[in-house]
Amino acid sequence: MSNFVVPAAPTVSLPVVGSDARFPVRRVYCVGRNYVAHAQEMGFSGREPPFFFLKPADAVVPAPAGQAIGIDYPPLTKDLHHEIELVVAIGEGGKQIAAADAMRHVFGYAVGLDMTRRDLQADMKKQGRPWCIGKAFDQSAPVGAITPAKDAGDIAHARIALQVNGETRQQSDLSQLIWSIGEIVEHLSNAWTLAPGDLIMTGTPEGVAAVVPGDRLVGSIEGLPSIEVRIRG
Ligand code: MN
């Protein structure tokens, strides 16, 4: 059939709530510092324009509803942090999309974790080098089942939370986003052409902290299936 000199990488995909069909992942865009209190805990004012980084599609680990998954504690770090985030799934591509038109391009929403090797990220920041090693490592993006937008309720005002071993570490509300979902889509689509299959991790609220092997993380957003992730040693 195909004529490749090495095996082609498989398509990473996510389950879709209420469907047997799956969502194929193309790119994973991430927004930095999109909640004031998190920007402040990272030493910034919270009043800057949005900025973006990427994770490879195969960093995504599907976390089906009602099922605990495991991710490996990654190499090189001594400070693996959790960042609970709303994930926006793009269903219709485009460029220079106005914020007011953004919802037409959104297929649905999911709960995700932007796992971060904070020590490596901090070192790269200090040196003015790219963040890839801190953010874009293997299994760095557990993402739950995608809920179609029409079934997700009032996502712009939903509660978002992360518990570690039953204790709440992060808790906020999506109304606290500095840049709204529509504004993120507008900014992103001015810089890149969005396409079906793109995911956008929209930033994390305050309370980021370290996890260790054996920890059990439960991420939740009102109206979406929760995710449960165990850190393997
Ligand atoms: Mn993040």
Side-chain angles (χ1 to χ4, degrees), residues 40 68 72 140 145 170 172 210:
Q40 288 169 345
D72 298 321
S140 59
Q170 294 187 267
S172 189

Side-chain angles (χ1 to χ4, degrees), residues 31 53 83 85 114 135 203-204:
V31 184
F53 58 92
E83 296 191 356
E85 311 202 0
D114 167 16
K135 286 289 195 180
T204 196

